[in-house]
Amino acid sequence: MLEAEQALTSDPALALALAEQVEAAAESDALILQASTLVAIGLAHQGRLTEAVRRALMLLERAEGGARLRLLNVLGACYDLLERPEEAVRTYRRGLNACPPEDQESARKFLVNLGVALARLGSHREALRHFADARRLAREPGQQARLLMDSALSHIALEELDAAAAALEAARAAAERTGQPATVAYIEHNEARLALIRGQSGALQRFRDLLRVASLPVPLRAATLGELVRGADDDEEAVRCAQELLALPLDGHEFAIPAAEELVSRLERLGRTEEALGALKDLHRRTEERWTLRHRSSLDLLRIENEVDELRRRGRALAEANAQLRALNRDKDELMAIIGHDLRSPLLAVTLTADQLTDEVLDADELQVLGHALAGSAERMGRLIHQLLSAHALEDGPPQNTAVEYETARIARSALDSASANARRKRIALVYDGPVTLIAFGDPRSVEQALANLVDNAVKFSPWGGEVHLRLTPGPVFEVRDQGPGLTPQDRERAFGKFARLSARPTGDEPSTGLGLYIVQKLVTGMGGLVRIEDGAPGARFILDLSGP
């Protein structure tokens, strides 16, 4: 990977080939992601921009940290080169927002690129703010020089010529400390451009002098020739400069189309009609090529974005399916724990009792005791099975029962009766506080089942010899209050979850499936009601409000 990284700037083709080899051979997810990221960068360096965009968009779904920042940077650069500055700005902003505070170098790069993209959109004032922020993070004179030069260009666009001159002067001072001729040459070009805008004599000559620099980068040579094509008073000089510019190996059309247009105009003024016609044909060819390239790139990007969106949708659907499978697996584990623990104890009691009945001669009193024991074990297993079946039935939503007029006081007393056996065993008093009769409209079966679960829960967690109160007020609103240990803040957050295990334990060794409150909430919300927990001081208070909106 190190060899591929080092080859990126000197030999992008080699870097891409090496990264693809590592990607194909790697076994760890981290190394595959690192190699894939480098492949995307290599594609961008080779000018295969739409391929690089596709790679980057797909990798962003799983990339984190530095890899994600690199991908956002290369994605923004591809959008910029594909003449999609709006997408470039959005991408660079995403990258800037994702930079951790300690990664100032990544933040500087995003600020610079964001400023350049905003300048392309004509948002020069905002671009200047980003350039200023980037300068505060820049450590090297070369970085300062380039930022000052970019700032000068925005000042020129805003017709703030004195500010532009000051920025270029500071840029030259910084560039001269770097010993980088190319940076100095770019500054000289922009100084000449500023002089031309100000109407200073000798400005065009400064462009001519710059063209004599042998090592002038191709983009800078094209920009310098473009200034002479537009500004030269001599038509012959303008024609020569335009022809030289159009012969350069330009990757884009930033200078080519304007130069071709100017060439046609200058040749016509010189009366060189046949050459002007040839130049016009070349202009049409270049314009058509540019339109075709932009149109094809736009279609490719649209196709890629749709493809990536579909892959993301499938990924989200797969993640949701996996989450559901994990939840089902947890439910299965909880169910097996209930079967293995809470059902095994009463089944063992039934087996032992059956052994006594078949192996021993018992009198009437002993038979009665064993009969009660069998009944208790059967009731315990029945309650467990009923809760499991109720929870399963509610998975697809509350029961679709027709609302009718019903007697709430009778429902309340019936809920108390359902817990009377366990209450008698623990010597717990069940107290009803409410009217003798109170008519309401709703689903009486769901109301009774929810109330029975709340009362059963209250008895289960109340101390021996305590009291459980059920209060009924118009609405109807039911309140079940116990004298148990109450619920901690953490318990309250998960009390209504499926198979929720809370900190308090039953006081009479009753089974606790963690389904009772889950069933209550499902039933109550299905009826359009609310259920909430309040501090009972001591104990807990459960409020079941069916009064409606």
Side-chain angles (χ1 to χ4, degrees), residues 94-118:
R94 283 177 64 191
L96 184 60
N97 293 333
C99 286
E102 65 274 10
D103 192 355
Q104 295 192 350
E105 178 58 18
S106 292
R108 181 192 66 80
K109 290 178 181 178
F110 279 114
L111 285 166
V112 172
N113 292 334
L114 181 54
V116 171
L118 286 166

Side-chain angles (χ1 to χ4, degrees), residues 141-384:
Q143 295 172 352
Q144 290 281 352
R146 287 187 290 274
L147 282 164
L148 285 162
M149 186 166 54
D150 288 332
S151 299
L153 294 176
S154 284
H155 282 305
I156 289 173
L158 293 168
E159 298 183 358
E160 298 170 351
L161 303 186
D162 290 341
L168 287 172
E169 184 178 355
R172 176 180 280 277
E176 287 173 349
R177 296 200 302 272
T178 68
Q180 296 175 347
T183 304
V184 174
Y186 272 104
I187 293 169
E188 288 177 351
H189 170 87
N190 288 305
E191 287 175 336
R193 184 180 171 202
L194 180 60
L196 186 63
I197 291 170
R198 284 179 156 175
Q200 295 175 354
S201 60
L204 289 175
Q205 186 57 45
R206 295 172 72 171
F207 287 122
R208 297 186 188 102
D209 293 341
L210 193 57
L211 288 175
R212 295 191 181 97
V213 177
S215 59
L216 203 65
V218 171
L220 181 56
R221 178 170 291 276
T224 304
L225 286 167
E227 293 291 348
L228 288 170
V229 170
R230 287 190 300 273
D233 293 328
D234 183 357
D235 290 333
E236 292 286 357
E237 181 185 14
V239 167
R240 286 195 303 273
C241 289
Q243 290 171 337
E244 182 181 349
L245 190 158
L246 294 172
L248 290 174
L250 296 172
D251 292 331
H253 301 272
E254 183 178 355
F255 308 109
I257 299 296
E261 291 173 342
E262 188 69 21
L263 178 59
V264 172
S265 175
R266 297 284 187 147
L267 287 170
E268 287 177 343
R269 282 165 56 177
L270 288 169
R272 294 156 62 175
T273 307
E274 188 173 341
E275 290 181 66
L277 182 60
L280 183 61
K281 290 179 181 178
D282 181 64
L283 173 61
H284 287 166
R285 178 186 62 80
R286 290 177 183 273
T287 304
E288 185 177 352
E289 284 179 357
R290 181 181 185 185
W291 183 90
T292 302
L293 180 63
R294 292 184 66 179
H295 183 63
R296 183 183 298 120
S297 297
S298 295
L299 290 176
D300 287 344
L301 285 176
L302 183 61
R303 176 182 55 78
I304 288 168
E305 288 164 359
N306 288 337
E307 179 183 341
V308 171
D309 285 344
E310 176 62 18
L311 289 173
R312 285 173 179 166
R313 187 192 64 77
R314 292 182 182 179
R316 286 193 295 269
L318 182 60
E320 290 172 4
N322 285 333
Q324 290 175 356
L325 287 174
R326 286 192 294 270
L328 289 172
N329 196 50
R330 286 193 298 270
D331 288 353
K332 181 262 296 178
D333 291 342
E334 291 287 352
L335 181 59
M336 294 306 295
I338 290 170
I339 293 171
H341 180 268
D342 294 326
L343 278 177
R344 184 169 56 182
S345 296
L347 279 172
L348 181 60
V350 168
T351 303
L352 293 173
T353 303
D355 288 343
Q356 282 186 276
L357 288 171
T358 56
D359 296 343
E360 300 178 19
V361 178
L362 305 170
D363 59 27
D365 290 339
E366 289 173 327
L367 286 172
Q368 187 177 24
V369 170
L370 291 177
H372 284 308
L374 281 172
S377 297
E379 181 188 10
R380 187 175 176 183
M381 288 187 289
R383 282 180 175 274
L384 280 170

